[in-house]
Amino acid sequence: MTQSQHTPKHDPDSVAKVRDLVKDERTCMFTTIGPDGAIVSRPMATQEVEFDGDLWFFASAASPKVSEVQADPRVNIGYAGSSSWVSVSGTAEVVRDVAKNKELWNPFAEAWFANGPEDPDVVLLKVSTETAEYWDTPGGKVASVIALVKSKVTGDRPDVGDNETVQL
C-alpha cells in the first residue's frame, strides 16, 4: 500500500476521492467519547447529501450519543466498502431544525422515527469533518491477494492500493 505523508494534504482531487469512496456507503461506525472517557462506536446511517465536508445523521435527542457529543464533540466516522476503508475525524454538533429534518427525511429515518420529522425527539448530528484517511484497493480482495503472493515471491513489500490522509 502506498503510504501517505504524516501531514494531511488538502487538494480538491483528494477531497473528491474521499467523496467518491463514501457516497455509496449508507452505514458507518459513529464513534464518540463516553462520559467515563471510553471510546464508544455504533452503526449509524449517513443521510444522503453531497459530501461537502459535512456529514449528517438523525438521532434521538435522548440517546447517549447526543449527550456524548454535547460533552465532547470530537468524533470519528468509519466506512468500510468492499475494496476501501475511510476514517473521518471531525467535530459534531446537535442541530434542532425541523426544516432541515424535513429536507433530509427519508424512509430510513421514518423506520426509526415513526412520529415524523417534527417530533421534538428527532435531532440531527452534524459532523464538520477535519481530516480523512483512506485506503483504496482497486480490484478488491482478489487484487490484494495477488499483490501479497507477488510480494512473497519477490521479497518486496506488497502494493495493495493507495493510502492518503486528507485535510478536509
Side-chain angles (χ1 to χ4, degrees):
M1 192 163 280
T2 307
Q3 289 281 23
S4 66
Q5 298 174 352
H6 291 289
T7 304
K9 65 181 185 176
H10 178 80
D11 76 82
D13 290 340
S14 295
V15 173
K17 177 69 172 186
V18 171
R19 179 183 306 118
D20 187 51
L21 292 174
V22 302
K23 73 178 180 181
D24 295 326
E25 301 302 327
R26 293 240 353 118
T27 306
C28 66
M29 291 302 287
F30 189 101
T31 303
T32 58
I33 300 170
D36 60 355
I39 296 170
V40 183
S41 297
R42 77 275 289 159
M44 297 278 291
T46 305
Q47 298 314 299
E48 290 186 51
V49 293
E50 182 68 26
F51 177 71
D52 61 0
D54 295 333
L55 297 169
W56 293 88
F57 303 89
F58 280 108
S60 167
S63 69
K65 69 185 138 289
V66 168
S67 59
E68 291 164 3
V69 161
Q70 290 171 323
D72 188 335
R74 296 175 295 164
V75 298
N76 183 271
I77 312 299
Y79 294 93
S82 62
S83 65
S84 64
W85 300 266
V86 181
S87 173
V88 180
S89 296
T91 55
E93 65 179 292
V94 178
V95 176
R96 295 176 188 274
D97 182 341
V98 172
K100 190 69 173 176
N101 287 2
K102 288 179 179 179
E103 176 189 332
L104 297 177
W105 203 252
N106 59 57
F108 296 103
E110 184 71 34
W112 285 98
F113 304 102
N115 293 328
E118 295 178 356
D119 182 342
D121 185 50
V122 176
V123 298
L124 286 162
L125 295 176
K126 176 185 177 185
V127 177
S128 299
T129 62
E130 296 164 5
T131 62
E133 185 169 6
Y134 69 82
W135 299 263
D136 186 24
T137 308
K141 294 177 184 175
V142 173
S144 294
V145 169
I146 291 169
L148 292 170
V149 170
K150 181 180 172 187
S151 77
K152 185 71 172 167
V153 171
T154 64
D156 294 332
R157 191 169 203 191
D159 179 9
V160 292
D162 296 322
N163 170 231
E164 290 287 341
T165 301
V166 180
Q167 184 73 41
L168 298 171

